[in-house]
Amino acid sequence: MAIWSNNYHQPMTNSAFQFNQSITIDDRLLTADLKGSIAHAKMLGAQSILDKNEAATLVQELEKMLSQYQKGTLEIDYSEEDIHSFIEAELIRRLGKIGKKVHTGRSRNDQVAIALKIYTLEEILELKKLILKVIKALCEKAQEHLHTVMPAYTHLQRAQAVTYGHYLMAYVEMMRRDVGRLLDLEKRIQEGMPLGSGALATSTFPLDREYMADELGFTSPSLNSIDGVSDRDYSIEMLGVLSTIVMHLSRYAEETILWTSQEFQFIQLADSYSTGSSIMPQKKNADVHELIRGKTGRVYGDLMNVMIIMKGLPLAYNKDMQEEKEALFDAIDTVKLILSLIPGALEASKINQDRMYQAANEGFLNATDCADYLTSKGLPFREAYQITGNILAYCHEQEKTLETLNLAEYQKYSDLFTSDIYEVIDLTNCVYRRRVMGGPAPERVQEHIDCVTKWLNQL
Ligand code: ARG
């Protein structure tokens, strides 16, 4: 049953109605709409726009609907156009004439805008919790691997030695910035409470928008009613943050996929987070991580979708904006799902420390240390670099490593070499001697973990 009739035309045909409806998508805004409606009804009473008792009745019934929904006893009528129309129709069904007053001084345009903002704020909290769990899991694993030497890469070529702990903490920093981005967005959303914008030009009723902002935990009402109902920046920003989160996770997933391959063998995935092949019995596939990588495309698609919907859209509200919700919800669901899988998968994976060390030990990862050694003995770095390059060429020729060259061979290249070179090029020392802030030395990584732990505790 539609609550407003089109007085001039026939009712919509079924196919047009189905095309036009959004209740199958926006039913998840039910609690957010109820909260917005409650604030609106309270304000109508407080401002004596409605009789105080009537306003109280509206508030009471809306609160009842909220608790019924939470108990699972509120049945949504999917023949309504959207969740906002359903809530008003349900109120009218329950309260009759009084129910018909809830929409005083309000439009579905500002009703949708406030519901979507409330929903987005709630999802920001959920996402934050999930990211913090991932950060904790990363820190715990890093703590176990402060001394696990592994190669780090540039251009996917073995570059320098670090520890697995140091590597994991790189992801912690990415995800801490993600939390920061969510908090920035939260603040910006809270600064613009749109209810009271009406259809686009507010109302002739003396609506108290500050009151509603307070009720809903916003810091202030939005300052322009046209913008209030036509702004979807927050959806785009949310999709931007989600895209960045999932971009980080896709890099993590990609490395996991590489590292579990026969070629790397750094990590062994738990059976509980991988699949077998239907034909090749020897295989264990990183399906979960491949899907994390794959679903990243879908989240970017959601962002593009909304950017394109909003492009060139005239002010104020246009029905195009209804489409934006599906993309936003899809991205939120996808990223939450991915985030919830990571701590378990990380915890259950086995690290092949010997293989990591061995890989770091092949490929002259201590070459920079050899050059630095000469530099610290007074040679300009560029010359030290050149000499080390010549030594490496000799090693290749002789099938030797920096560790297996004897001192006489070193001294053919520079008389600055003495027997302490062996200590300097020792792989573990290469890591331990990088004690600069932010570096891989275990005490620096430990400080980083401690700093993040403190940050987690004060959030
Ligand atoms: N379902 C619509 C949406 O989500 C509700 C807004 C309707 N407003 C309007 N003027 N038709 O965008």
Side-chain angles (χ1 to χ4, degrees), residues 22 26 82 108-109 112 317 319 322 325:
S22 61
D26 60 29
D82 61 22
R108 247 190 323 158
N109 296 348
V112 170
Y317 178 83
K319 190 79 171 191
Q322 175 170 290
K325 283 181 215 124

Side-chain angles (χ1 to χ4, degrees), residues 5-31:
S5 59
N6 189 328
N7 295 323
Y8 307 104
H9 303 286
Q10 298 295 313
M12 273 182 133
T13 64
N14 187 42
S15 56
F17 180 83
Q18 287 310 326
F19 187 67
N20 194 49
Q21 66 85 23
S22 61
I23 193 162
T24 48
I25 304 296
D26 60 29
D27 52 356
R28 69 169 74 191
L29 296 179
L30 188 129
T31 58

Side-chain angles (χ1 to χ4, degrees), residues 138-150 162-172 351 356 439-440 445-446 448-449:
L138 287 164
C139 284
E140 275 162 27
K141 200 79 168 176
Q143 186 70 57
E144 286 169 34
H145 290 282
L146 289 179
H147 300 275
T148 305
V149 173
M150 64 171 272
V162 297
T163 65
Y164 185 51
H166 185 229
Y167 157 83
L168 288 174
M169 292 305 286
Y171 281 96
V172 166
I351 306 307
M356 281 182 168
V445 178
Q446 183 66 60
H448 185 191
I449 296 174

Side-chain angles (χ1 to χ4, degrees), residues 82-100:
D82 61 22
I83 197 66
H84 318 286
S85 326
F86 161 71
I87 288 170
E88 191 181 343
E90 178 68 13
L91 211 53
I92 294 171
R93 200 182 58 72
R94 293 175 179 212
L95 299 178
K97 196 166 139 240
I98 297 178
K100 291 182 182 169

Side-chain angles (χ1 to χ4, degrees), residues 354-399:
D354 293 343
R355 177 69 199 123
M356 281 182 168
Y357 187 88
Q358 192 194 336
N361 216 8
E362 298 160 358
F364 300 99
L365 272 69
N366 46 6
T368 319
D369 301 82
C370 179
D372 285 351
Y373 171 88
L374 293 175
T375 309
S376 68
K377 298 217 164 173
L379 211 60
F381 175 76
R382 200 42 79 199
E383 279 174 41
Y385 171 93
Q386 187 61 53
I387 289 173
T388 306
N390 296 341
I391 296 174
L392 292 191
Y394 174 77
C395 284
H396 278 300
E397 229 175 74
Q398 303 289 315
E399 292 184 7

Side-chain angles (χ1 to χ4, degrees), residues 111-126:
Q111 190 180 354
V112 170
I114 187 62
L116 202 54
K117 279 198 166 177
I118 292 172
Y119 168 81
T120 306
L121 285 171
E122 288 171 355
E123 290 300 327
I124 285 175
L125 282 185
E126 290 304 308

